[in-house]
Amino acid sequence: MKYRRIPDETIQRLPMYLRGFSLLEDEKEETVSSRRLAVRLGLNPHQIRKDLSYFGSFGRRGVGYPVRATAQRIRRILKLDKTQKAALIGAGRLGTALVAYPGFSSFNLEIAAIFDKDPQKIGKKIGHLRVESIERLSGLRKRKIQLAILAVPAEAAQSVTEKLVKAGVKGLLNFSPGHLKVPASVKKIDIDLASQLSILPYYL
Amino acid sequence: MKYRRIPDETIQRLPMYLRGFSLLEDEKEETVSSRRLAVRLGLNPHQIRKDLSYFGSFGRRGVGYPVRATAQRIRRILKLDKTQKAALIGAGRLGTALVAYPGFSSFNLEIAAIFDKDPQKIGKKIGHLRVESIERLSGLRKRKIQLAILAVPAEAAQSVTEKLVKAGVKGLLNFSPGHLKVPASVKKIDIDLASQLSILPYYL
DNA sequence: TTTTATTTGTGCTCACATTCACAAACACAA
DNA sequence: TTGTGTTTGTGAATGTGAGCACAAATAAAA
Ligand SMILES: NC(=O)c1ccc[n+]([C@@H]2O[C@H](COP(=O)([O-])OP(=O)(O)OC[C@H]3O[C@@H](n4cnc5c(N)ncnc54)[C@H](O)[C@@H]3O)[C@@H](O)[C@H]2O)c1
Ligand SMILES: NC(=O)c1ccc[n+]([C@@H]2O[C@H](COP(=O)([O-])OP(=O)(O)OC[C@H]3O[C@@H](n4cnc5c(N)ncnc54)[C@H](O)[C@@H]3O)[C@@H](O)[C@H]2O)c1
């Protein structure tokens, strides 16, 4: 395997593959071919093989991919082999829905802190976490939390982001609409739900 | 302007452009250049001009794009010039957060019905809507609702989808993880929040 | 051992989105 | 009217991801 730049698109598909492999792990499958996996995931086998090959040789020709080992290797690549802690900023409607979501744990992701600026909400329990004051964001570095989920109103998003960056956050999942400036050293993913829904009518 | 196939990527950016133009509309701006808009949205002017040019000539050289007219034209393209109704399936944590979200209306999108199968939830009010039984999905066609937001557990997603398709739904925003089979005539957009968050640690 | 059937890994091709470059169109000042 | 400075619209160049084809590797049967 020569060195090749790994496309972002490949990285984005890895969680899908991981979910597939994890499911097969639960089903006690030993191996799976790219073809069978592709059918399950609704994409094509070439893509899966190509994507995985960026990271080396995973499978055995004539056999397929060893389920357990490959799942573990993808976790390793995505740094999901150890639990990753994330902070949630904004204990609003969307935020509380996310905290209650059990689906993150299968990726070894954990929402480990909740922050808000509303005095009414600070101190209240959501799930097994207590909402903390936004003033305490600076403690994130010490608590080794480098990921944050941003679920505050758009007006507050930029200023909160700057506090997060100061607090050492390196990855940001942003739900607020509008453009958010972050330093190049910080990876940001935007999820604009209203925009997504707006696309659908076009295809009617 | 010759006919050219319009890339999906262009369509996906239109809501962003629309949000930009709408904001400028509120600010009573008459015109805006691709450069100024690009700065606001955090992307490059070439892209904006190219994207808009797929749909004809929007602006005036030496001047820029007329804010009001262009906003209206993008709404027209996205079929957002009339209010588009969507049904929400699954009155759970995520679903209720979405119903309460006021941001859809600026795109002329309206959640106009909520369905669930839980008898405990059916009949309850969420916002100004009453949760209906999933059995009543077939009424969607008569009510001219062609869009649906799927916020049910993954196990239920495929069967609910099939009911939606039968009920005449043509666009689907799916929040459940895993692969969903839909006919080619139906446009589906998947939002897998856990996968999105899983990507971040890779870049740490 | 040989043959046949699988299946991976990857160089190559192709398609297509992005970016560039520039002519055409416009405003405005001199 | 002429010149200067903008800005759009678009053909062309560029870059890159997806799809393809096939050799290499493996298993299992003959
Ligand atoms: N609810 C949805 O379904 C939905 C859909 C699409 C987008 N969004 C976006 O997600 C974000 C959150 O939406 P929501 O519906 O949960 O809003 P919300 O108003 O219910 O919650 C926002 C929370 O952020 C807190 N907050 C405000 N300013 C803050 C600050 N400076 N620091 C810390 N906390 C602060 C508020 O106290 C509140 O608890 C918004 O940007 C919204 O546009 C939400
Ligand atoms: N909550 C989150 O933050 C979050 C995050 C990522 C993904 N998701 C996904 O979104 C979906 C919904 O999540 P949630 O947290 O709101 O779940 P939830 O359990 O809170 O709500 C699901 C709702 O769907 C209803 N339902 C179940 N089967 C149904 C059926 N056959 N027909 C109609 N309604 C049915 C249930 O009664 C319930 O009200 C799930 O697929 C989940 O994986 C949610």
Side-chain angles (χ1 to χ4, degrees), chain A residues 2-23:
Chain A
K2 281 196 307 194
Y3 174 78
R4 282 166 294 185
R5 199 187 67 82
I6 296 165
D8 273 359
E9 284 83 351
T10 293
I11 305 298
Q12 283 167 25
R13 280 186 292 269
L14 288 183
M16 258 200 287
Y17 301 156
L18 178 53
R19 183 173 272 133
F21 279 107
S22 292
L23 241 57

mmCIF file with all atom_site columns, all heavy atoms in Angstrom, chain A residues 2-23:
data_model
loop_
_atom_site.group_PDB
_atom_site.id
_atom_site.type_symbol
_atom_site.label_atom_id
_atom_site.label_alt_id
_atom_site.label_comp_id
_atom_site.label_asym_id
_atom_site.label_entity_id
_atom_site.label_seq_id
_atom_site.pdbx_PDB_ins_code
_atom_site.Cartn_x
_atom_site.Cartn_y
_atom_site.Cartn_z
_atom_site.occupancy
_atom_site.B_iso_or_equiv
_atom_site.pdbx_formal_charge
_atom_site.auth_seq_id
_atom_site.auth_comp_id
_atom_site.auth_asym_id
_atom_site.auth_atom_id
_atom_site.pdbx_PDB_model_num
ATOM 1   N N   . LYS A 1 2  ? 0.714   2.046  -1.046 1.00 0.00 ? 2  LYS A N   1
ATOM 2   C CA  . LYS A 1 2  ? 1.424   3.316  -1.097 1.00 0.00 ? 2  LYS A CA  1
ATOM 3   C C   . LYS A 1 2  ? 0.681   4.344  -0.243 1.00 0.00 ? 2  LYS A C   1
ATOM 4   O O   . LYS A 1 2  ? -0.466  4.145  0.112  1.00 0.00 ? 2  LYS A O   1
ATOM 5   C CB  . LYS A 1 2  ? 1.456   3.847  -2.546 1.00 0.00 ? 2  LYS A CB  1
ATOM 6   C CG  . LYS A 1 2  ? 2.492   3.183  -3.413 1.00 0.00 ? 2  LYS A CG  1
ATOM 7   C CD  . LYS A 1 2  ? 2.738   3.977  -4.665 1.00 0.00 ? 2  LYS A CD  1
ATOM 8   C CE  . LYS A 1 2  ? 1.429   4.270  -5.417 1.00 0.00 ? 2  LYS A CE  1
ATOM 9   N NZ  . LYS A 1 2  ? 1.698   4.740  -6.786 1.00 0.00 ? 2  LYS A NZ  1
ATOM 10  N N   . TYR A 1 3  ? 1.363   5.450  0.053  1.00 0.00 ? 3  TYR A N   1
ATOM 11  C CA  . TYR A 1 3  ? 0.629   6.482  0.761  1.00 0.00 ? 3  TYR A CA  1
ATOM 12  C C   . TYR A 1 3  ? -0.282  7.233  -0.188 1.00 0.00 ? 3  TYR A C   1
ATOM 13  O O   . TYR A 1 3  ? 0.111   7.653  -1.266 1.00 0.00 ? 3  TYR A O   1
ATOM 14  C CB  . TYR A 1 3  ? 1.565   7.480  1.458  1.00 0.00 ? 3  TYR A CB  1
ATOM 15  C CG  . TYR A 1 3  ? 0.760   8.605  2.044  1.00 0.00 ? 3  TYR A CG  1
ATOM 16  C CD1 . TYR A 1 3  ? 0.076   8.424  3.231  1.00 0.00 ? 3  TYR A CD1 1
ATOM 17  C CD2 . TYR A 1 3  ? 0.604   9.814  1.366  1.00 0.00 ? 3  TYR A CD2 1
ATOM 18  C CE1 . TYR A 1 3  ? -0.720  9.416  3.759  1.00 0.00 ? 3  TYR A CE1 1
ATOM 19  C CE2 . TYR A 1 3  ? -0.200  10.827 1.880  1.00 0.00 ? 3  TYR A CE2 1
ATOM 20  C CZ  . TYR A 1 3  ? -0.860  10.608 3.077  1.00 0.00 ? 3  TYR A CZ  1
ATOM 21  O OH  . TYR A 1 3  ? -1.664  11.588 3.591  1.00 0.00 ? 3  TYR A OH  1
ATOM 22  N N   . ARG A 1 4  ? -1.484  7.385  0.221  1.00 0.00 ? 4  ARG A N   1
ATOM 23  C CA  . ARG A 1 4  ? -2.427  8.208  -0.538 1.00 0.00 ? 4  ARG A CA  1
ATOM 24  C C   . ARG A 1 4  ? -3.170  9.104  0.422  1.00 0.00 ? 4  ARG A C   1
ATOM 25  O O   . ARG A 1 4  ? -3.449  8.713  1.549  1.00 0.00 ? 4  ARG A O   1
ATOM 26  C CB  . ARG A 1 4  ? -3.445  7.312  -1.261 1.00 0.00 ? 4  ARG A CB  1
ATOM 27  C CG  . ARG A 1 4  ? -2.887  6.674  -2.528 1.00 0.00 ? 4  ARG A CG  1
ATOM 28  C CD  . ARG A 1 4  ? -3.798  5.569  -2.987 1.00 0.00 ? 4  ARG A CD  1
ATOM 29  N NE  . ARG A 1 4  ? -3.823  4.450  -2.018 1.00 0.00 ? 4  ARG A NE  1
ATOM 30  C CZ  . ARG A 1 4  ? -4.459  3.316  -2.219 1.00 0.00 ? 4  ARG A CZ  1
ATOM 31  N NH1 . ARG A 1 4  ? -5.153  3.131  -3.301 1.00 0.00 ? 4  ARG A NH1 1
ATOM 32  N NH2 . ARG A 1 4  ? -4.421  2.349  -1.316 1.00 0.00 ? 4  ARG A NH2 1
ATOM 33  N N   . ARG A 1 5  ? -3.492  10.285 -0.042 1.00 0.00 ? 5  ARG A N   1
ATOM 34  C CA  . ARG A 1 5  ? -4.299  11.167 0.786  1.00 0.00 ? 5  ARG A CA  1
ATOM 35  C C   . ARG A 1 5  ? -5.654  10.499 1.013  1.00 0.00 ? 5  ARG A C   1
ATOM 36  O O   . ARG A 1 5  ? -6.238  9.924  0.106  1.00 0.00 ? 5  ARG A O   1
ATOM 37  C CB  . ARG A 1 5  ? -4.517  12.503 0.067  1.00 0.00 ? 5  ARG A CB  1
ATOM 38  C CG  . ARG A 1 5  ? -4.939  13.639 0.979  1.00 0.00 ? 5  ARG A CG  1
ATOM 39  C CD  . ARG A 1 5  ? -5.282  14.863 0.141  1.00 0.00 ? 5  ARG A CD  1
ATOM 40  N NE  . ARG A 1 5  ? -6.473  14.634 -0.651 1.00 0.00 ? 5  ARG A NE  1
ATOM 41  C CZ  . ARG A 1 5  ? -7.718  14.756 -0.185 1.00 0.00 ? 5  ARG A CZ  1
ATOM 42  N NH1 . ARG A 1 5  ? -7.933  15.100 1.064  1.00 0.00 ? 5  ARG A NH1 1
ATOM 43  N NH2 . ARG A 1 5  ? -8.753  14.535 -0.970 1.00 0.00 ? 5  ARG A NH2 1
ATOM 44  N N   . ILE A 1 6  ? -6.120  10.559 2.224  1.00 0.00 ? 6  ILE A N   1
ATOM 45  C CA  . ILE A 1 6  ? -7.399  9.922  2.521  1.00 0.00 ? 6  ILE A CA  1
ATOM 46  C C   . ILE A 1 6  ? -8.517  10.949 2.392  1.00 0.00 ? 6  ILE A C   1
ATOM 47  O O   . ILE A 1 6  ? -8.534  11.946 3.093  1.00 0.00 ? 6  ILE A O   1
ATOM 48  C CB  . ILE A 1 6  ? -7.383  9.337  3.943  1.00 0.00 ? 6  ILE A CB  1
ATOM 49  C CG1 . ILE A 1 6  ? -6.318  8.236  4.010  1.00 0.00 ? 6  ILE A CG1 1
ATOM 50  C CG2 . ILE A 1 6  ? -8.751  8.788  4.311  1.00 0.00 ? 6  ILE A CG2 1
ATOM 51  C CD1 . ILE A 1 6  ? -5.942  7.835  5.402  1.00 0.00 ? 6  ILE A CD1 1
ATOM 52  N N   . PRO A 1 7  ? -9.452  10.711 1.479  1.00 0.00 ? 7  PRO A N   1
ATOM 53  C CA  . PRO A 1 7  ? -10.553 11.669 1.261  1.00 0.00 ? 7  PRO A CA  1
ATOM 54  C C   . PRO A 1 7  ? -11.434 11.799 2.503  1.00 0.00 ? 7  PRO A C   1
ATOM 55  O O   . PRO A 1 7  ? -11.679 10.813 3.206  1.00 0.00 ? 7  PRO A O   1
ATOM 56  C CB  . PRO A 1 7  ? -11.363 11.034 0.127  1.00 0.00 ? 7  PRO A CB  1
ATOM 57  C CG  . PRO A 1 7  ? -10.472 10.039 -0.510 1.00 0.00 ? 7  PRO A CG  1
ATOM 58  C CD  . PRO A 1 7  ? -9.539  9.573  0.553  1.00 0.00 ? 7  PRO A CD  1
ATOM 59  N N   . ASP A 1 8  ? -11.903 12.980 2.761  1.00 0.00 ? 8  ASP A N   1
ATOM 60  C CA  . ASP A 1 8  ? -12.864 13.201 3.834  1.00 0.00 ? 8  ASP A CA  1
ATOM 61  C C   . ASP A 1 8  ? -14.083 12.304 3.680  1.00 0.00 ? 8  ASP A C   1
ATOM 62  O O   . ASP A 1 8  ? -14.652 11.829 4.666  1.00 0.00 ? 8  ASP A O   1
ATOM 63  C CB  . ASP A 1 8  ? -13.316 14.671 3.831  1.00 0.00 ? 8  ASP A CB  1
ATOM 64  C CG  . ASP A 1 8  ? -12.381 15.547 4.655  1.00 0.00 ? 8  ASP A CG  1
ATOM 65  O OD1 . ASP A 1 8  ? -11.406 15.001 5.229  1.00 0.00 ? 8  ASP A OD1 1
ATOM 66  O OD2 . ASP A 1 8  ? -12.613 16.762 4.727  1.00 0.00 ? 8  ASP A OD2 1
ATOM 67  N N   . GLU A 1 9  ? -14.482 12.097 2.442  1.00 0.00 ? 9  GLU A N   1
ATOM 68  C CA  . GLU A 1 9  ? -15.656 11.262 2.187  1.00 0.00 ? 9  GLU A CA  1
ATOM 69  C C   . GLU A 1 9  ? -15.466 9.857  2.750  1.00 0.00 ? 9  GLU A C   1
ATOM 70  O O   . GLU A 1 9  ? -16.417 9.239  3.236  1.00 0.00 ? 9  GLU A O   1
ATOM 71  C CB  . GLU A 1 9  ? -15.936 11.180 0.681  1.00 0.00 ? 9  GLU A CB  1
ATOM 72  C CG  . GLU A 1 9  ? -16.571 12.427 0.097  1.00 0.00 ? 9  GLU A CG  1
ATOM 73  C CD  . GLU A 1 9  ? -15.548 13.512 -0.229 1.00 0.00 ? 9  GLU A CD  1
ATOM 74  O OE1 . GLU A 1 9  ? -14.363 13.373 0.161  1.00 0.00 ? 9  GLU A OE1 1
ATOM 75  O OE2 . GLU A 1 9  ? -15.932 14.514 -0.862 1.00 0.00 ? 9  GLU A OE2 1
ATOM 76  N N   . THR A 1 10 ? -14.239 9.367  2.642  1.00 0.00 ? 10 THR A N   1
ATOM 77  C CA  . THR A 1 10 ? -13.949 8.046  3.199  1.00 0.00 ? 10 THR A CA  1
ATOM 78  C C   . THR A 1 10 ? -14.124 8.052  4.712  1.00 0.00 ? 10 THR A C   1
ATOM 79  O O   . THR A 1 10 ? -14.783 7.161  5.273  1.00 0.00 ? 10 THR A O   1
ATOM 80  C CB  . THR A 1 10 ? -12.508 7.639  2.837  1.00 0.00 ? 10 THR A CB  1
ATOM 81  O OG1 . THR A 1 10 ? -12.417 7.429  1.427  1.00 0.00 ? 10 THR A OG1 1
ATOM 82  C CG2 . THR A 1 10 ? -12.092 6.371  3.562  1.00 0.00 ? 10 THR A CG2 1
ATOM 83  N N   . ILE A 1 11 ? -13.577 9.068  5.361  1.00 0.00 ? 11 ILE A N   1
ATOM 84  C CA  . ILE A 1 11 ? -13.717 9.173  6.814  1.00 0.00 ? 11 ILE A CA  1
ATOM 85  C C   . ILE A 1 11 ? -15.189 9.218  7.201  1.00 0.00 ? 11 ILE A C   1
ATOM 86  O O   . ILE A 1 11 ? -15.610 8.575  8.158  1.00 0.00 ? 11 ILE A O   1
ATOM 87  C CB  . ILE A 1 11 ? -13.006 10.440 7.346  1.00 0.00 ? 11 ILE A CB  1
ATOM 88  C CG1 . ILE A 1 11 ? -11.550 10.466 6.913  1.00 0.00 ? 11 ILE A CG1 1
ATOM 89  C CG2 . ILE A 1 11 ? -13.131 10.526 8.861  1.00 0.00 ? 11 ILE A CG2 1
ATOM 90  C CD1 . ILE A 1 11 ? -10.733 9.328  7.447  1.00 0.00 ? 11 ILE A CD1 1
ATOM 91  N N   . GLN A 1 12 ? -15.957 9.942  6.424  1.00 0.00 ? 12 GLN A N   1
ATOM 92  C CA  . GLN A 1 12 ? -17.380 10.064 6.736  1.00 0.00 ? 12 GLN A CA  1
ATOM 93  C C   . GLN A 1 12 ? -18.130 8.742  6.611  1.00 0.00 ? 12 GLN A C   1
ATOM 94  O O   . GLN A 1 12 ? -19.169 8.562  7.239  1.00 0.00 ? 12 GLN A O   1
ATOM 95  C CB  . GLN A 1 12 ? -18.032 11.112 5.827  1.00 0.00 ? 12 GLN A CB  1
ATOM 96  C CG  . GLN A 1 12 ? -17.720 12.532 6.265  1.00 0.00 ? 12 GLN A CG  1
ATOM 97  C CD  . GLN A 1 12 ? -18.082 13.543 5.203  1.00 0.00 ? 12 GLN A CD  1
ATOM 98  O OE1 . GLN A 1 12 ? -18.948 13.300 4.372  1.00 0.00 ? 12 GLN A OE1 1
ATOM 99  N NE2 . GLN A 1 12 ? -17.412 14.693 5.227  1.00 0.00 ? 12 GLN A NE2 1
ATOM 100 N N   . ARG A 1 13 ? -17.602 7.857  5.778  1.00 0.00 ? 13 ARG A N   1
ATOM 101 C CA  . ARG A 1 13 ? -18.281 6.570  5.636  1.00 0.00 ? 13 ARG A CA  1
ATOM 102 C C   . ARG A 1 13 ? -17.855 5.559  6.694  1.00 0.00 ? 13 ARG A C   1
ATOM 103 O O   . ARG A 1 13 ? -18.548 4.565  6.929  1.00 0.00 ? 13 ARG A O   1
ATOM 104 C CB  . ARG A 1 13 ? -18.045 6.003  4.233  1.00 0.00 ? 13 ARG A CB  1
ATOM 105 C CG  . ARG A 1 13 ? -18.950 6.605  3.164  1.00 0.00 ? 13 ARG A CG  1
ATOM 106 C CD  . ARG A 1 13 ? -18.765 5.885  1.831  1.00 0.00 ? 13 ARG A CD  1
ATOM 107 N NE  . ARG A 1 13 ? -17.449 6.131  1.279  1.00 0.00 ? 13 ARG A NE  1
ATOM 108 C CZ  . ARG A 1 13 ? -17.151 7.122  0.444  1.00 0.00 ? 13 ARG A CZ  1
ATOM 109 N NH1 . ARG A 1 13 ? -18.091 7.943  0.049  1.00 0.00 ? 13 ARG A NH1 1
ATOM 110 N NH2 . ARG A 1 13 ? -15.931 7.277  -0.010 1.00 0.00 ? 13 ARG A NH2 1
ATOM 111 N N   . LEU A 1 14 ? -16.717 5.789  7.326  1.00 0.00 ? 14 LEU A N   1
ATOM 112 C CA  . LEU A 1 14 ? -16.227 4.814  8.304  1.00 0.00 ? 14 LEU A CA  1
ATOM 113 C C   . LEU A 1 14 ? -17.230 4.506  9.420  1.00 0.00 ? 14 LEU A C   1
ATOM 114 O O   . LEU A 1 14 ? -17.391 3.336  9.770  1.00 0.00 ? 14 LEU A O   1
ATOM 115 C CB  . LEU A 1 14 ? -14.885 5.283  8.892  1.00 0.00 ? 14 LEU A CB  1
ATOM 116 C CG  . LEU A 1 14 ? -13.669 5.196  7.955  1.00 0.00 ? 14 LEU A CG  1
ATOM 117 C CD1 . LEU A 1 14 ? -12.397 5.627  8.686  1.00 0.00 ? 14 LEU A CD1 1
ATOM 118 C CD2 . LEU A 1 14 ? -13.481 3.788  7.397  1.00 0.00 ? 14 LEU A CD2 1
ATOM 119 N N   . PRO A 1 15 ? -17.910 5.507  9.989  1.00 0.00 ? 15 PRO A N   1
ATOM 120 C CA  . PRO A 1 15 ? -18.887 5.170  11.029 1.00 0.00 ? 15 PRO A CA  1
ATOM 121 C C   . PRO A 1 15 ? -19.976 4.223  10.525 1.00 0.00 ? 15 PRO A C   1
ATOM 122 O O   . PRO A 1 15 ? -20.401 3.325  11.251 1.00 0.00 ? 15 PRO A O   1
ATOM 123 C CB  . PRO A 1 15 ? -19.484 6.537  11.403 1.00 0.00 ? 15 PRO A CB  1
ATOM 124 C CG  . PRO A 1 15 ? -18.423 7.512  11.085 1.00 0.00 ? 15 PRO A CG  1
ATOM 125 C CD  . PRO A 1 15 ? -17.745 6.974  9.849  1.00 0.00 ? 15 PRO A CD  1
ATOM 126 N N   . MET A 1 16 ? -20.390 4.400  9.278  1.00 0.00 ? 16 MET A N   1
ATOM 127 C CA  . MET A 1 16 ? -21.362 3.484  8.683  1.00 0.00 ? 16 MET A CA  1
ATOM 128 C C   . MET A 1 16 ? -20.807 2.062  8.653  1.00 0.00 ? 16 MET A C   1
ATOM 129 O O   . MET A 1 16 ? -21.490 1.110  9.029  1.00 0.00 ? 16 MET A O   1
ATOM 130 C CB  . MET A 1 16 ? -21.653 3.927  7.247  1.00 0.00 ? 16 MET A CB  1
ATOM 131 C CG  . MET A 1 16 ? -22.937 4.668  7.055  1.00 0.00 ? 16 MET A CG  1
ATOM 132 S SD  . MET A 1 16 ? -23.421 4.613  5.319  1.00 0.00 ? 16 MET A SD  1
ATOM 133 C CE  . MET A 1 16 ? -22.228 5.743  4.586  1.00 0.00 ? 16 MET A CE  1
ATOM 134 N N   . TYR A 1 17 ? -19.582 1.936  8.171  1.00 0.00 ? 17 TYR A N   1
ATOM 135 C CA  . TYR A 1 17 ? -18.966 0.612  8.126  1.00 0.00 ? 17 TYR A CA  1
ATOM 136 C C   . TYR A 1 17 ? -18.869 0.032  9.523  1.00 0.00 ? 17 TYR A C   1
ATOM 137 O O   . TYR A 1 17 ? -19.172 -1.138 9.747  1.00 0.00 ? 17 TYR A O   1
ATOM 138 C CB  . TYR A 1 17 ? -17.559 0.685  7.510  1.00 0.00 ? 17 TYR A CB  1
ATOM 139 C CG  . TYR A 1 17 ? -17.519 1.235  6.105  1.00 0.00 ? 17 TYR A CG  1
ATOM 140 C CD1 . TYR A 1 17 ? -16.365 1.826  5.598  1.00 0.00 ? 17 TYR A CD1 1
ATOM 141 C CD2 . TYR A 1 17 ? -18.634 1.169  5.276  1.00 0.00 ? 17 TYR A CD2 1
ATOM 142 C CE1 . TYR A 1 17 ? -16.316 2.331  4.308  1.00 0.00 ? 17 TYR A CE1 1
ATOM 143 C CE2 . TYR A 1 17 ? -18.594 1.681  3.988  1.00 0.00 ? 17 TYR A CE2 1
ATOM 144 C CZ  . TYR A 1 17 ? -17.433 2.260  3.510  1.00 0.00 ? 17 TYR A CZ  1
ATOM 145 O OH  . TYR A 1 17 ? -17.380 2.769  2.240  1.00 0.00 ? 17 TYR A OH  1
ATOM 146 N N   . LEU A 1 18 ? -18.457 0.886  10.467 1.00 0.00 ? 18 LEU A N   1
ATOM 147 C CA  . LEU A 1 18 ? -18.305 0.412  11.841 1.00 0.00 ? 18 LEU A CA  1
ATOM 148 C C   . LEU A 1 18 ? -19.623 -0.099 12.378 1.00 0.00 ? 18 LEU A C   1
ATOM 149 O O   . LEU A 1 18 ? -19.687 -1.150 13.022 1.00 0.00 ? 18 LEU A O   1
ATOM 150 C CB  . LEU A 1 18 ? -17.766 1.547  12.721 1.00 0.00 ? 18 LEU A CB  1
ATOM 151 C CG  . LEU A 1 18 ? -17.614 1.207  14.203 1.00 0.00 ? 18 LEU A CG  1
ATOM 152 C CD1 . LEU A 1 18 ? -16.793 -0.054 14.414 1.00 0.00 ? 18 LEU A CD1 1
ATOM 153 C CD2 . LEU A 1 18 ? -17.001 2.382  14.955 1.00 0.00 ? 18 LEU A CD2 1
ATOM 154 N N   . ARG A 1 19 ? -20.700 0.636  12.085 1.00 0.00 ? 19 ARG A N   1
ATOM 155 C CA  . ARG A 1 19 ? -22.009 0.181  12.555 1.00 0.00 ? 19 ARG A CA  1
ATOM 156 C C   . ARG A 1 19 ? -22.338 -1.183 11.965 1.00 0.00 ? 19 ARG A C   1
ATOM 157 O O   . ARG A 1 19 ? -22.828 -2.074 12.648 1.00 0.00 ? 19 ARG A O   1
ATOM 158 C CB  . ARG A 1 19 ? -23.087 1.206  12.195 1.00 0.00 ? 19 ARG A CB  1
ATOM 159 C CG  . ARG A 1 19 ? -24.453 0.827  12.722 1.00 0.00 ? 19 ARG A CG  1
ATOM 160 C CD  . ARG A 1 19 ? -25.483 1.916  12.501 1.00 0.00 ? 19 ARG A CD  1
ATOM 161 N NE  . ARG A 1 19 ? -25.531 2.886  13.566 1.00 0.00 ? 19 ARG A NE  1
ATOM 162 C CZ  . ARG A 1 19 ? -25.550 4.198  13.405 1.00 0.00 ? 19 ARG A CZ  1
ATOM 163 N NH1 . ARG A 1 19 ? -25.507 4.701  12.189 1.00 0.00 ? 19 ARG A NH1 1
ATOM 164 N NH2 . ARG A 1 19 ? -25.611 4.998  14.439 1.00 0.00 ? 19 ARG A NH2 1
ATOM 165 N N   . GLY A 1 20 ? -22.028 -1.364 10.684 1.00 0.00 ? 20 GLY A N   1
ATOM 166 C CA  . GLY A 1 20 ? -22.253 -2.649 10.026 1.00 0.00 ? 20 GLY A CA  1
ATOM 167 C C   . GLY A 1 20 ? -21.462 -3.765 10.692 1.00 0.00 ? 20 GLY A C   1
ATOM 168 O O   . GLY A 1 20 ? -22.018 -4.806 11.052 1.00 0.00 ? 20 GLY A O   1
ATOM 169 N N   . PHE A 1 21 ? -20.185 -3.527 10.883 1.00 0.00 ? 21 PHE A N   1
ATOM 170 C CA  . PHE A 1 21 ? -19.340 -4.538 11.511 1.00 0.00 ? 21 PHE A CA  1
ATOM 171 C C   . PHE A 1 21 ? -19.774 -4.826 12.949 1.00 0.00 ? 21 PHE A C   1
ATOM 172 O O   . PHE A 1 21 ? -19.786 -5.973 13.387 1.00 0.00 ? 21 PHE A O   1
ATOM 173 C CB  . PHE A 1 21 ? -17.864 -4.107 11.479 1.00 0.00 ? 21 PHE A CB  1
ATOM 174 C CG  . PHE A 1 21 ? -17.195 -4.366 10.154 1.00 0.00 ? 21 PHE A CG  1
ATOM 175 C CD1 . PHE A 1 21 ? -16.883 -3.323 9.293  1.00 0.00 ? 21 PHE A CD1 1
ATOM 176 C CD2 . PHE A 1 21 ? -16.876 -5.664 9.769  1.00 0.00 ? 21 PHE A CD2 1
ATOM 177 C CE1 . PHE A 1 21 ? -16.269 -3.569 8.063  1.00 0.00 ? 21 PHE A CE1 1
ATOM 178 C CE2 . PHE A 1 21 ? -16.249 -5.916 8.550  1.00 0.00 ? 21 PHE A CE2 1
ATOM 179 C CZ  . PHE A 1 21 ? -15.954 -4.863 7.697  1.00 0.00 ? 21 PHE A CZ  1
ATOM 180 N N   . SER A 1 22 ? -20.144 -3.789 13.675 1.00 0.00 ? 22 SER A N   1
ATOM 181 C CA  . SER A 1 22 ? -20.577 -3.974 15.064 1.00 0.00 ? 22 SER A CA  1
ATOM 182 C C   . SER A 1 22 ? -21.806 -4.866 15.133 1.00 0.00 ? 22 SER A C   1
ATOM 183 O O   . SER A 1 22 ? -21.899 -5.767 15.979 1.00 0.00 ? 22 SER A O   1
ATOM 184 C CB  . SER A 1 22 ? -20.899 -2.618 15.707 1.00 0.00 ? 22 SER A CB  1
ATOM 185 O OG  . SER A 1 22 ? -19.725 -1.855 15.855 1.00 0.00 ? 22 SER A OG  1
ATOM 186 N N   . LEU A 1 23 ? -22.743 -4.608 14.220 1.00 0.00 ? 23 LEU A N   1
ATOM 187 C CA  . LEU A 1 23 ? -23.946 -5.423 14.175 1.00 0.00 ? 23 LEU A CA  1
ATOM 188 C C   . LEU A 1 23 ? -23.610 -6.882 13.894 1.00 0.00 ? 23 LEU A C   1
ATOM 189 O O   . LEU A 1 23 ? -24.147 -7.793 14.534 1.00 0.00 ? 23 LEU A O   1
ATOM 190 C CB  . LEU A 1 23 ? -24.886 -4.881 13.086 1.00 0.00 ? 23 LEU A CB  1
ATOM 191 C CG  . LEU A 1 23 ? -26.260 -4.404 13.543 1.00 0.00 ? 23 LEU A CG  1
ATOM 192 C CD1 . LEU A 1 23 ? -26.140 -3.336 14.603 1.00 0.00 ? 23 LEU A CD1 1
ATOM 193 C CD2 . LEU A 1 23 ? -27.076 -3.893 12.365 1.00 0.00 ? 23 LEU A CD2 1
#
